[in-house]
Amino acid sequence: MRHDIEFKTEDGTTLRGWHYVPGGDGPKFPTVVMSHGFSAVKEMYLDHYAEALAGVGVASVVYDNRNLGASDGLPRQEVDPLQQIRDYRDAITYAETLPQTDAERIGVFGSSYSGGHVLVVAALDRRVKCVASQVPLISGHRNARRLVRADQFAGLRALFDQDRRARLRGEPPMTMPIISEDPAGPAALPTADSWSFMNATHLLRAPSWKNEITLRSVEMFGEYEPGAHIAYISPTPLLMIVALQDHLTVADEALAAYERALEPKKLVLLKGGHFDAYVQDFEIAGGAVRDWFREHLVTGR
């Protein structure tokens, strides 16, 4: 059911991942393209979503974002949201070439940072016939203001400027930890639940994940505004999954963005926090994703 894959993006970078193909009659299946969030790799529970989709006759192309995990790309551990959006669209093109893919029934799924990406992809690329966005980033600027204390912003911006000058001199990009056990320590995701989930999942099932990110990635996070595209997704069906206790990609921003989206759309609420969608609340979140794509890519064809 699962095969290792690799494909090249338009700029020649090789991305690697998995192709999930349902059992039973084909030969062509509706297919969902998915990658993970900020710094995360595919082993951080994307397989559970792909398996749920395969159970209802939907194939999946699951891949690591460039510069991370099994995929190529330099500099390592850099997260460029606009490049990742271009890679999503290249992954859709790759999925179209697979003999098992029904190119008229392609969807996209994203979670956290990539939950923001799929809002942009679905708004721009009409090959996408259905989209599911889980605990998405909506506004990098406003979200960063919630994660970073106001008195620390000036120092962070000074580091961004210092990094730019160093890169111009030919020096490698500055890096910082993604998570820290000390809530006051430097970290791109400075929350206790980020430390608990990312550290535990790395040890349990994602050895390729590294607790390091380029400082430039954090700067680009604050400049990224995927929610600006949400009104342009219609008439593509949109599912949004929001965790009410999410303080990483904050829930109120996601709920406000959902109100700006046009029909057809559906909202699913989780009681827990940002990372609960992958484990404790997966039955609800994964079930909603499964049912949404089954409704719009399988039975609604």
Side-chain angles (χ1 to χ4, degrees), residues 44-53 109 134 241 268 270 275-290:
M44 290 174 157
Y45 296 103
L46 287 188
D47 51 323
H48 287 189
Y49 294 87
E51 289 165 3
L53 291 173
F109 167 71
Q134 178 175 274
I241 301 171
V268 172
L270 308 178
F275 298 100
D276 291 330
Y278 305 110
V279 186
Q280 292 94 324
D281 290 337
F282 175 75
E283 185 174 352
I284 299 171
V289 170
R290 175 200 64 211

Side-chain angles (χ1 to χ4, degrees), residues 16 31 36 43 50 102 117 135 139 154 178 201 230 239 247 296:
R16 297 182 179 87
T31 299
H36 221 315
E43 290 84 2
D102 182 342
H117 298 350
V135 293
S139 167
I178 298 164
T201 308
I230 198 164
L239 170 69
H247 51 252
H296 293 283

Side-chain angles (χ1 to χ4, degrees), residues 70-143:
S71 289
D72 290 350
L74 294 172
R76 299 303 293 173
Q77 301 305 121
E78 176 143 296
V79 176
D80 179 340
L82 300 185
Q83 182 61 66
Q84 289 184 352
I85 287 167
R86 290 192 288 271
D87 290 345
Y88 248 107
R89 300 181 76 175
D90 287 346
I92 292 170
T93 304
Y94 167 71
E96 289 179 318
T97 71
L98 295 171
Q100 300 90 347
T101 300
D102 182 342
E104 298 302 315
R105 294 187 289 165
I106 289 179
V108 289
F109 167 71
S111 187
S112 192
Y113 212 40
S114 67
H117 298 350
V118 295
L119 299 178
V120 183
V121 172
L124 300 178
D125 198 321
R126 290 302 165 187
R127 294 176 297 174
V128 174
K129 299 304 190 293
C130 187
V131 54
S133 173
Q134 178 175 274
V135 293
L137 175 75
I138 297 298
S139 167
H141 177 81
R142 292 192 297 272
N143 215 108

Side-chain angles (χ1 to χ4, degrees), residues 18-31:
W18 302 317
H19 184 208
Y20 281 80
V21 181
D25 295 333
K28 294 185 180 294
F29 298 94
T31 299

Side-chain angles (χ1 to χ4, degrees), residues 201-217:
T201 308
H202 164 57
L203 296 174
L204 178 67
R205 62 186 349 257
S208 68
W209 179 82
K210 295 181 179 180
N211 187 21
E212 181 183 60
I213 203 75
T214 65
L215 189 63
R216 178 166 50 184
S217 301

